[in-house]
C-alpha cells in the first residue's frame, strides 16, 4: 500500500498561535489527500478533501479560513490550524487514496494550551 | 440516524474465540466497505475491504456484506490478545464530485482476554 508520513507527530502550542501540519505521500503521486480529525473516544471525522492544484473541498461545519489547506504538489499537502484554541486540540490524520483504498498517515497530536 | 453505526462495545472475547463485529449503514448508494483497525494513539490501518455481497476471507479475517440488509460484518477467528483494538467500519458513498469520501462509524472496541 501507499506510504504516508506526517510531520510533526506531536505539537504543543499556546492559544492564538498557528500550527502547520505536513502530509507527504512517499511512494505515490497523490492528486487527492484527505484530512481527518479525531477527538478522544470518537471516530474519524472528515474535515476536507485536498486536491492538487486546486482549492480544497471542506465538509459542512469546517471553517475554511481557520483550517487552511494547501496541496501544491503531488506528494505534499499541508494543513494549517490558524489561531488555534484549546478546542482545536485533537488528533489530525491525513490519508491518500489509491484506486480504491485509503492509506493513513501516522497522525499529528495537537495540544493547544 | 448516523450514516454508519457500530456498537461501541467493549466486546470481550477469550483468546482463541471468534470475534464478530457488526456495522450497519443508511445510504443504499454505498458502494464499497472497509474495515480498519486502530490501536490507541495510532492511526487506522486497513484490514480489508469488500464490494460484493457475500463473504471475503483473508487469513483469520472474514468480511461479510449484505447490501439488501445494509449490513457489513467482520469476523476474527482464533482471536489473539494483539487483536485488542478499536475496529472502524467505513463506507464509501462516492457522493457527487468527491470520489473516495469515507464515512466512518464510531468504532467497536475489542478486548481479547488471555
Amino acid at each position: 500500500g501507499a506510504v504516508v508520513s506526517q510531520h510533526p507527530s506531536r505539537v504543543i502550542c499556546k492559544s492564538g498561535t498557528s500550527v502547520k501540519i505536513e502530509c507527504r505521500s512517499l511512494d505515490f503521486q497523490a492528486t487527492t489527500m484527505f484530512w481527518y480529525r479525531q477527538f478522544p473516544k470518537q471516530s474519524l471525522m472528515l474535515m476536507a478533501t485536498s486536491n492538487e492544484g486546486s482549492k480544497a473541498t471542506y465538509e459542512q461545519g469546517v471553517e475554511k479560513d481557520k483550517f487552511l489547506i494547501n496541496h501544491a504538489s503531488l506528494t505534499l499537502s499541508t494543513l494549517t490550524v490558524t489561531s488555534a484554541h484549546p478546542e482545536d486540540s485533537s488528533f489530525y490524520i491525513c490519508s491518500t487514496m489509491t484506486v480504491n483504498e485509503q492509506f493513513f498517515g501516522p497522525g499529528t497530536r495537537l495540544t493547544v494550551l | 440516524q448516523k450514516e454508519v453505526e457500530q456498537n461501541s462495545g467493549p466486546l470481550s472475547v477469550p483468546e482463541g474465540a471468534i470475534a464478530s463485529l457488526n456495522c450497519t449503514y443508511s445510504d443504499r448508494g454505498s458502494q464499497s466497505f472497509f474495515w480498519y483497525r486502530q490501536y490507541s494513539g495510532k492511526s487506522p490501518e486497513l484490514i480489508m475491504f469488500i464490494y460484493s455481497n457475500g463473504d471475503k476471507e483473508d487469513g483469520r479475517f472474514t468480511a461479510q456484506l449484505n447490501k439488501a440488509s445494509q449490513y457489513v460484518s467482520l469476523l476474527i477467528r482464533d482471536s489473539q490478545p494483539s487483536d485488542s483494538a478499536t475496529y472502524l467500519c467505513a463506507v464509501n458513498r462516492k457522493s457527487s464530485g468527491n470520489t473516495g469520501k469515507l464515512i466512518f462509524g464510531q468504532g467497536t472496541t475489542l478486548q481479547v482476554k488471555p
Side-chain angles (χ1 to χ4, degrees):
Chain A
V3 179
V4 182
S5 71
Q6 279 185 245
H7 177 80
S9 59
R10 186 180 297 269
V11 58
I12 301 173
C13 68
K14 293 181 179 180
S15 184
T17 60
S18 293
V19 176
K20 180 185 283 187
I21 303 170
E22 293 185 349
C23 176
R24 293 183 183 274
S25 178
L26 299 182
D27 60 352
F28 176 72
Q29 291 187 326
T31 56
T32 301
M33 292 185 179
F34 300 92
W35 285 97
Y36 293 85
R37 179 168 55 182
Q38 186 177 35
F39 292 108
K41 305 294 184 183
Q42 295 186 25
S43 190
L44 277 73
M45 295 299 295
L46 179 65
M47 298 176 67
T49 302
S50 171
N51 303 296
E52 188 269 336
S54 64
K55 291 182 179 180
T57 303
Y58 290 82
E59 294 301 302
Q60 188 174 7
V62 178
E63 299 175 55
K64 62 180 181 180
D65 294 329
K66 180 170 180 63
F67 300 99
L68 302 178
I69 292 174
N70 184 282
H71 193 156
S73 76
L74 289 171
T75 59
L76 174 65
S77 175
T78 61
L79 168 68
T80 301
V81 183
T82 62
S83 186
H85 291 283
E87 59 266 31
D88 298 321
S89 298
S90 189
F91 192 44
Y92 292 86
I93 312 172
C94 69
S95 70
T96 62
M97 181 177 170
T98 57
V99 177
N100 284 306
E101 301 176 36
Q102 279 195 33
F103 296 92
F104 290 88
T108 297
R109 177 77 58 189
L110 170 63
T111 303
V112 185
L113 302 176
Chain B
Q1 181 188 11
K2 293 180 180 178
E3 282 201 59
V4 181
E5 294 210 50
Q6 295 179 256
N7 188 323
S8 60
L11 172 66
S12 184
V13 300
E15 183 175 357
I18 296 175
S20 178
L21 304 162
N22 304 316
C23 173
T24 58
Y25 60 95
S26 61
D27 187 350
R28 285 193 174 274
S30 301
Q31 299 184 350
S32 47
F33 308 85
F34 301 82
W35 282 101
Y36 287 85
R37 177 174 61 195
Q38 186 176 26
Y39 293 109
S40 180
K42 304 294 185 181
S43 65
E45 52 182 335
L46 181 67
I47 298 175
M48 61 192 308
F49 56 86
I50 186 167
Y51 305 136
S52 304
N53 277 327
D55 295 359
K56 179 182 179 182
E57 186 174 318
D58 184 0
R60 295 187 296 115
F61 300 97
T62 298
Q64 299 175 318
L65 175 61
N66 184 326
K67 289 187 177 181
S69 299
Q70 295 176 239
Y71 174 96
V72 58
S73 65
L74 179 70
L75 300 178
I76 306 175
R77 289 181 297 281
D78 188 25
S79 296
Q80 301 297 309
S82 58
D83 293 327
S84 298
T86 297
Y87 289 80
L88 301 169
C89 171
V91 173
N92 183 343
R93 289 192 283 114
K94 287 199 174 182
S95 54
S96 58
N98 203 354
T99 300
K101 177 177 175 179
L102 287 182
I103 307 299
F104 283 85
Q106 69 268 35
T108 298
T109 299
L110 173 66
Q111 297 174 346
V112 181
K113 297 186 175 181

